[in-house]
Amino acid sequence: MSSGLTIMQPMAVTDATLISSTVPETDAPLWAAGTTYAIGDLVRLAATHAVYENTSAGNIGKSPDAYPNLWVRVRATNRWRCLDRNSSAATAQASNINYVFAPGLVVQQVTLIGIAGCNSARVRLVDGVYGTVYDQTRYPGPLPALPDPWEWAFGEWSGGQSQLIFDAMPSYPNAQLWVDLVGGPTLALGYLLFGQPKTIGIGVQYGVRLGRAMYSKVEANKYGDLELLKRPTARKPSFEVMLGRTELDAVMYLLDAIEAQVCMFSLSDQWESTTLVGVVQNADVTIENHGFNTLNLELLGVA
């Protein structure tokens, strides 16, 4: 099915590595020590780049980070949503979304997941000595629902590519990473991930199961009518990867390193459905013979 399973453990983004962004942090007022907050009031904490809801009447002088029992974290701020790997909320801003990072390490791949309303996406590496050393632009625009001539000519076009992968990037550890999205009023980005991908195994085996975990509520009332409550879904692929004899220990160490960490997994470059952001839910290895082993993986997607 493919040459192997690609796993990218994203580099952490901090205040030191995020140089600038055109997305403002204006989701809620900044928390102020002298303000009395009523139940349901929303505040923003600059240190955590998150929005919190107050749950205590007459709350004064008690910050969300110091008193987590009095505040509920609602979400990351709009600027940090696509950088927050624990949320399904997307960064949204009409017309353009721009980020500039100083990773301080070699970046070999940039992955954009959950793209919506985007006309073009540009990724650049700009080195202080050598100038622009990587510059690629992709156009994820709308597509017909089905890939047949009638749909192309007469069908309704919508959506388009929801993910883009920029890879084969040159090794410049001191370069800044620029990511620019241009689109319309519904422009949004679910996840922005970058790092150094690793390809394991000598092939993802056919027989991949692309399951989904459904969190929507579908119940019939006493009259037999369905009550529907739409909620997010999560992809749950399960598959096998053939490992060479010498790979076994290294792969087990890698699985230990990414335990309970959100990563990017790519089973094949033929379909978008085989690339996801998620965590390893189950993993086991069958030692088949002296030359080969079989890695059985089940993933749970967050996007």
Side-chain angles (χ1 to χ4, degrees), residues 261-282:
Q261 291 192 31
V262 173
C263 297
M264 189 216 76
F265 301 87
S266 181
L267 285 64
S268 170
D269 57 6
Q270 298 183 55
W271 306 282
E272 280 194 12
S273 300
T274 56
T275 297
L276 80 157
V277 177
V279 296
V280 175
Q281 193 168 41
N282 290 298

Side-chain angles (χ1 to χ4, degrees), residues 52-297:
Y52 300 85
E53 181 179 352
N54 177 42
T55 64
S56 175
N59 187 342
I60 181 172
K62 297 177 180 178
S63 65
D65 55 345
Y67 294 87
N69 58 312
L70 303 181
W71 298 88
V72 174
R73 186 183 187 275
V74 178
R75 59 183 176 270
T77 60
N78 192 30
R79 175 183 295 177
W80 285 80
R81 282 176 207 166
C82 67
L83 308 173
D84 178 20
R85 302 166 201 160
N86 300 317
S87 172
S88 60
T91 295
Q93 178 169 271
S95 302
N96 74 85
I97 294 175
N98 165 270
Y99 288 91
V100 180
F101 305 95
L105 295 169
V106 169
V107 173
Q108 295 177 304
Q109 179 174 297
V110 175
T111 302
L112 308 179
I113 302 281
I115 303 168
C118 180
N119 298 327
S120 68
R122 183 183 185 189
V123 171
R124 287 173 287 170
L125 283 177
V126 182
D127 187 85
V129 176
Y130 300 99
T132 300
V133 294
Y134 180 91
D135 190 346
Q136 293 288 327
T137 302
R138 308 279 176 81
Y139 302 93
L143 293 170
L146 295 173
D148 65 61
W150 191 94
E151 291 285 349
W152 278 89
F154 307 108
E156 181 180 355
W157 288 33
S158 62
Q161 289 178 272
S162 63
Q163 61 189 38
L164 294 170
I165 296 176
F166 297 80
D167 53 11
M169 303 174 73
S171 300
Y172 286 84
N174 297 317
Q176 289 188 345
L177 172 64
W178 290 60
V179 179
D180 299 280
L181 275 66
V182 177
T186 61
L187 179 63
L189 175 61
Y191 291 88
L192 194 169
L193 310 171
F194 54 86
Q196 301 173 0
K198 297 176 176 61
T199 300
I200 65 173
I202 56 178
V204 175
Q205 303 301 292
Y206 280 102
V208 172
R209 297 176 62 88
L210 299 177
R212 299 188 75 86
M214 305 293 187
Y215 301 112
S216 296
K217 178 183 177 182
V218 181
E219 293 182 355
N221 60 26
K222 64 180 181 179
Y223 303 106
D225 296 326
L226 290 180
E227 296 179 352
L228 308 177
L229 177 60
K230 174 66 176 175
R231 292 173 177 162
T233 62
R235 286 186 280 171
K236 291 185 63 176
S238 55
F239 53 95
E240 295 181 347
V241 183
M242 190 67 70
L243 302 178
R245 180 181 63 84
T246 59
E247 285 188 284
L248 179 58
D249 288 336
V251 168
M252 298 305 288
Y253 294 145
L254 175 61
L255 292 175
D256 288 341
I258 65 173
E259 182 182 358
Q261 291 192 31
V262 173
C263 297
M264 189 216 76
F265 301 87
S266 181
L267 285 64
S268 170
D269 57 6
Q270 298 183 55
W271 306 282
E272 280 194 12
S273 300
T274 56
T275 297
L276 80 157
V277 177
V279 296
V280 175
Q281 193 168 41
N282 290 298
D284 63 77
V285 172
T286 302
I287 299 179
E288 304 284 357
N289 52 53
H290 179 72
F292 299 99
N293 308 296
T294 301
L295 170 65
N296 302 276
L297 278 179

